[in-house]
Amino acid sequence: MARVLLEGRGELAEWRDAARALAAAGVPPEDVDWRKMGCEADLFAAPEALPPPPAGDQVRITVPPAFIALAEAVVCHSDPMRFFLLYRLLWRLQSDRTLLEVVSDEDVASARMMEKSVRRDAHKMTAFVRFKEVGSGISLNGRRKFLAWFEPDHHIVAREAPFFQKRFNDMDWVIATPKGSAAWDGERLTLSNEPCEKPDLTDPADHLWRTYYANIFNPARLKAKAMQGEMPKKYWKNLPEADLIPGLIAGAESKVLAMAARQASEPLLFHERLQEAARNLPAATCAPVGTLAALREEAAGCTRCSLHANATQTVFGEGPRDAQVMFVGEQPGDQEDLAGRPFVGPAGKVFDQAVSEAGIDRQAVYVTNAVKHFKYEPRGKRRIHQRPNMGEVAHCRWWLDLEIDLIEPKLVVAMGATALASLTDARLRLSDVRGHAIPLAAGRMLFVTVHPSYLLRIPDERLKAEEVTRFRQDMMEIQRLMSVLGESDSVAPRIGDGKSL
Ligand code: URA
């Protein structure tokens, strides 16, 4: 029996190195005892050395790309069986490449459940981490310092830290958890596996949260089950507003009855003037919450960064709510800014021609941008495009994430480096990943190509023709992937070559 001792704190690499060596040496799953450090059965039993790699030709262990995405999530799970389960899947994948498509398979189903639980935990972390300011005011490096405490079910701190780095880039912060910590100081993201003690985090701003929460609570709209589903009780103890919830729920019914019983009072005189003014206002549209129309309305008033100040309007994405593919550009150009629609100017024409030649119906796909306001520099009567900076991209990612959450495309196409940076946490070079399908969260795939306006800027005619041809080939590949997606629920195992583990 080979015994493997792992730190087991959500790092894929340590499991992968051991699994690769074991699989290459032909050690079957039932002959491996996977243990997490600190949980050794026999305190005096040393881990056995991993088997040496077989002599002669190195055995190459390959897996479908979807397995890597799955394994990255599953290793974060806190179930001690996760290493064994992953190794058994790896072992079985060597003789059955389509195994992950068999949703009824017990191993696949268990791994998918673990993946789901990790994703849910990660989602809760992004929703319920509450930073509290520590120290007083600005520190030596000119930045404010914040601390948050969170209690995840799984080892997700390292996995989620880049999300917080992007969202809270302009402040120093530490997120402490019993499963390790992450810290950001404006330059470096530091991760630690050491369990943290719960700090004392009372904050003068807590009463603001509580006042805010009590004021937005509408007793007439109370859906206690949905509310508790979204904010499960175990997170309450770390939310300043949570202890108000039972009281608000308990008092909701009597408040609604009191509201209904209250007599309508005569308006005061000056109200007539206000009512007259209100009657003359154009009727406010109010799309149902959770719809694309509501999101578009909300984004129309976006002031998350300074770009709204000079742009004509927010240029939101457009396309069907159930589009399988989402194309993401950089930001609206001059004509898009005036028209309020993405990709209707010169770059849009290049895009339209390439998609239609590839047999893609633009009306069937969702088209949007990483940044929703036009950034430009006025020069005489002209407005010259300026590339958005990473801060602006990070602010606008709020909207792009919401669009992705709502549309749930199976394939996202990043056109250009800005879209690529917005859609991936890693700093990838476009030329390294162009034409590839990269796994994203939730089983989604990302395809990377150039931005159509890059083609418009190439001065050399021959080079330009070559690049236009390449762009069209990318569109054809996207069309091919779209037809694969149309056939299967899970695209990942069928596209791309097998990846080296
Ligand atoms: N360039 C983009 O990235 N998006 C548009 O909508 C237009 C030009």
Side-chain angles (χ1 to χ4, degrees):
M1 175 76 70
R3 190 176 306 121
V4 185
L5 206 50
L6 301 179
E7 274 213 50
R9 294 200 175 268
E11 242 197 65
L12 182 64
E14 60 165 0
W15 172 85
R16 189 188 52 200
D17 292 348
R20 193 196 282 134
L22 289 160
V27 183
E30 56 279 12
D31 287 352
V32 189
D33 179 13
W34 296 92
R35 301 246 164 205
K36 183 166 143 41
M37 278 176 201
C39 303
E40 299 92 307
D42 170 357
L43 276 181
F44 301 102
E48 261 168 37
L50 290 177
D57 283 350
Q58 191 87 31
V59 180
R60 213 173 144 244
I61 305 296
T62 63
V63 288
F67 177 74
I68 307 268
L70 176 67
E72 273 170 352
V74 172
V75 283
C76 297
H77 202 282
S78 38
D79 187 329
M81 288 301 283
R82 63 196 181 281
F83 306 122
F84 172 75
L85 176 66
L86 281 177
Y87 186 59
R88 194 158 62 190
L89 278 173
L90 170 67
W91 183 263
R92 293 178 60 202
L93 277 167
Q94 301 313 300
S95 53
D96 178 1
R97 308 296 285 174
T98 60
L99 174 62
L100 295 186
E101 288 174 73
V102 187
V103 286
S104 56
D105 181 273
E106 248 182 63
D107 288 344
V108 175
S110 305
R112 290 285 177 212
M113 265 169 61
M114 287 190 191
E115 180 190 36
K116 198 168 166 193
S117 170
V118 167
R119 286 194 197 291
R120 186 174 158 78
D121 200 28
H123 172 70
K124 296 293 175 207
M125 180 169 176
T126 57
F128 296 140
V129 158
R130 295 275 189 277
F131 285 107
K132 310 270 173 105
E133 186 150 19
V134 287
S136 48
I138 313 275
S139 67
L140 280 181
N141 60 3
R143 292 158 62 89
R144 293 166 66 190
K145 294 193 178 305
F146 293 81
L147 175 61
W149 170 252
F150 185 71
E151 293 172 38
D153 290 337
H154 306 300
H155 302 282
I156 54 168
V157 177
R159 186 180 165 94
E160 290 312 300
F163 166 89
F164 290 95
Q165 179 190 341
K166 272 198 161 184
R167 276 277 152 95
F168 302 100
N169 197 278
D170 54 356
M171 61 197 217
D172 288 358
W173 50 256
V174 175
I175 301 175
T177 87
K179 291 184 164 61
S181 61
W184 170 247
D185 65 3
E187 282 177 6
R188 237 166 4 112
L189 185 63
T190 310
L191 300 168
S192 161
N193 285 334
E194 286 307 311
C196 302
E197 296 267 329
K198 182 174 180 174
D200 177 15
L201 279 179
T202 40
D203 181 331
D206 278 2
H207 77 278
L208 290 177
W209 274 108
R210 295 164 57 82
T211 310
Y212 168 73
Y213 194 79
N215 278 291
I216 59 160
F217 180 81
N218 179 350
R221 294 249 169 111
L222 174 66
K223 286 201 182 110
K225 270 219 172 107
M227 184 172 161
Q228 285 172 14
E230 253 316 293
M231 196 195 270
K233 275 204 169 140
K234 66 175 179 182
Y235 299 106
W236 288 19
K237 60 178 180 293
N238 296 319
L239 299 175
E241 69 273 28
D243 61 346
L244 295 175
I245 297 174
L248 291 170
I249 293 179
E253 195 179 347
S254 56
K255 276 206 177 130
V256 173
L257 290 175
M259 276 156 65
R262 210 174 295 144
Q263 292 284 327
S265 54
E266 284 296 314
L268 297 175
L269 275 183
F270 72 88
H271 282 190
E272 276 168 23
R273 196 165 30 88
L274 295 177
Q275 282 168 347
E276 175 64 21
R279 267 194 294 277
N280 293 334
L281 284 175
T285 54
C286 191
V289 177
T291 60
L292 205 48
L295 200 57
R296 171 189 293 276
E297 271 177 19
E298 212 186 314
C302 178
T303 53
R304 297 179 74 83
C305 75
S306 60
L307 293 186
H308 72 278
N310 295 326
T312 309
Q313 56 192 312
T314 304
V315 179
F316 205 65
E318 61 180 25
R321 158 78 178 72
D322 58 353
Q324 301 220 343
V325 182
M326 178 182 285
F327 284 88
V328 184
E330 182 194 76
Q331 62 163 354
D334 184 68
Q335 295 193 25
E336 287 79 11
D337 170 74
L338 297 173
R341 298 185 51 209
F343 283 101
V344 293
K349 298 221 162 52
V350 177
F351 173 69
D352 280 348
Q353 194 172 352
V355 290
S356 94
E357 276 178 16
I360 300 172
D361 176 6
R362 176 164 173 173
Q363 303 307 319
V365 298
Y366 189 86
V367 180
T368 190
N369 283 300
V371 171
K372 311 289 192 237
H373 281 118
F374 178 35
K375 180 174 180 180
Y376 63 91
E377 192 185 279
R379 217 173 283 161
K381 286 191 175 163
R382 295 180 60 212
R383 304 191 296 171
I384 308 298
H385 163 275
Q386 276 199 312
R387 202 172 192 180
N389 63 37
M390 276 305 129
E392 288 149 356
V393 172
H395 280 302
C396 226
R397 168 124 184 218
W398 170 260
W399 298 114
L400 184 57
D401 283 349
L402 289 170
E403 283 175 299
I404 293 176
D405 285 351
L406 211 65
I407 305 285
E408 297 186 306
K410 290 186 181 168
L411 181 66
V412 181
V413 180
M415 295 194 291
T418 304
L420 176 62
S422 175
L423 287 160
T424 57
D425 292 326
R427 287 181 177 241
L428 301 171
R429 275 202 357 208
L430 190 135
S431 52
D432 291 342
V433 287
R434 177 175 185 180
H436 291 291
I438 302 169
L440 287 181
R444 206 159 272 139
M445 300 305 288
L446 174 70
F447 186 91
V448 183
T449 184
V450 293
H451 192 282
S453 60
Y454 155 72
L455 305 172
L456 293 171
R457 290 194 304 267
I458 302 174
D460 180 278
E461 285 306 321
R462 196 180 52 80
L463 197 62
K464 183 175 190 153
E466 277 173 22
E467 283 296 316
V468 169
T469 307
R470 243 186 113 191
F471 184 63
R472 290 185 183 151
Q473 283 164 352
D474 285 349
M475 292 296 153
M476 285 176 202
E477 177 61 6
I478 291 164
Q479 155 67 10
R480 188 188 74 77
L481 296 176
M482 283 172 69
S483 46
V484 176
L485 289 166
E487 287 161 15
S488 108
D489 243 12
S490 154
V491 61
R494 299 223 198 138
I495 58 179
D497 298 331
K499 270 199 157 193
S500 248
L501 180 71

